[in-house]
Amino acid sequence: MTTDPIALFKTAPEGIAAETALLVAGEPACLIWRAAAPAIVLPWHFAEQPGFDEGARRAAALGWPVELRRTGGGAVPQGPGVMNLAMVWPAGPKLTIEAAYRALCEPMIRACGGMAVLAEPGATEGSFCDGTFNLSVGGRKIVGTAQRWRNRDGRRTVLAHAMILLAPPPASAIAAINALHEGLELAPVRAEVHAGLSDFIPGLSPEPFARTLRTEALAALAELVPAQG
């Protein structure tokens, strides 16, 4: 049995498939993972829009092939410099989308706080996959979040996902996202509004941070599931 806090996959679709398997199983679970190969991942519905194919071709030419996911949000980089947190749990009748986002963000805020980094929720103008439940440090985005809900036989299950920037996104990733955005007629993103945890934690090692994050996420699930059940 492995004790590694981070599951390592060759590609982002493999990590996304692992998250989906947890969602289908429907039991409380936490998964922290990374992908070796770079990619830009965005919601599947964008593939139906005019301009997607050309934007995806341009992104791939920059070294960032485009992959699709079933959660919401916008385009984000995956691969080196990125870590993901997925939390899955049965959603009780009172659970709201906002409450699920807060349940996802709190473990990350606490894990960052344990390393003297103040992460705050809120939108980050000019960032990719912008939203109210981004996490930023000093006004620079380090986390993007998304959700997917499953309703089967009257039982709701939520998958809450976070993309955590361990290092600032490389210029090629920003260029690839902007190539997609141009094709989809979306506003461009700006590199300078993003940061990585390594900007605030000198000598950051992903494994110790992941262990702390996993402990916090599992503690949150232990409290959340009885409250929602």
Side-chain angles (χ1 to χ4, degrees):
M1 179 177 178
T2 181
T3 58
D4 292 343
I6 306 173
L8 301 176
F9 298 101
K10 291 182 179 179
T11 66
E14 292 177 5
I16 293 168
E19 291 186 349
T20 301
L22 293 178
L23 178 65
V24 171
E27 299 300 323
C30 165
L31 175 67
I32 297 174
W33 64 274
R34 300 180 68 183
I40 302 298
V41 181
L42 79 165
W44 63 273
H45 64 83
F46 283 110
E48 302 172 351
Q49 298 187 20
F52 169 80
D53 289 340
E54 175 59 18
R57 184 194 65 78
R58 290 176 57 200
L62 291 166
W64 294 84
V66 174
E67 306 289 354
L68 302 175
R69 68 177 191 266
R70 289 283 173 178
T71 51
V76 300
Q78 288 290 348
V82 175
M83 185 166 72
N84 300 276
L85 167 65
M87 292 172 57
V88 173
W89 70 96
K94 295 182 180 180
L95 184 70
T96 64
I97 291 174
E98 179 177 336
Y101 272 127
R102 294 191 183 282
L104 172 67
C105 287
E106 283 302 318
M108 292 185 288
I109 292 171
R110 290 195 295 268
C112 287
M115 305 187 84
V117 174
L118 177 61
E120 300 178 298
T124 309
E125 184 177 357
S127 69
F128 50 69
C129 194
D130 195 18
T132 303
F133 291 98
N134 283 347
L135 291 181
S136 64
V137 178
R140 299 168 66 194
K141 177 173 180 170
I142 61 167
V143 173
T145 57
Q147 292 184 30
R148 180 180 174 187
W149 291 60
R150 186 174 189 265
N151 193 337
R152 183 63 57 90
D153 299 326
R155 185 187 186 197
R156 298 191 308 162
T157 308
V158 60
L159 162 64
H161 171 95
M163 176 229 55
I164 304 166
L165 291 169
L166 299 175
S172 59
I174 297 296
I177 290 173
N178 279 334
L180 267 176
H181 277 210
E182 183 177 357
L184 296 167
E185 299 184 350
L186 299 174
V189 302
R190 308 198 315 272
E192 67 271 16
V193 303
H194 304 86
L197 273 175
S198 59
D199 289 320
F200 310 103
I201 306 172
L204 172 70
S205 177
E207 287 76 14
F209 179 77
R211 289 189 183 93
T212 299
L213 180 58
R214 179 176 175 81
T215 297
E216 294 289 357
L218 290 175
L221 286 172
E223 293 183 2
L224 181 68
V225 173
Q228 294 297 331

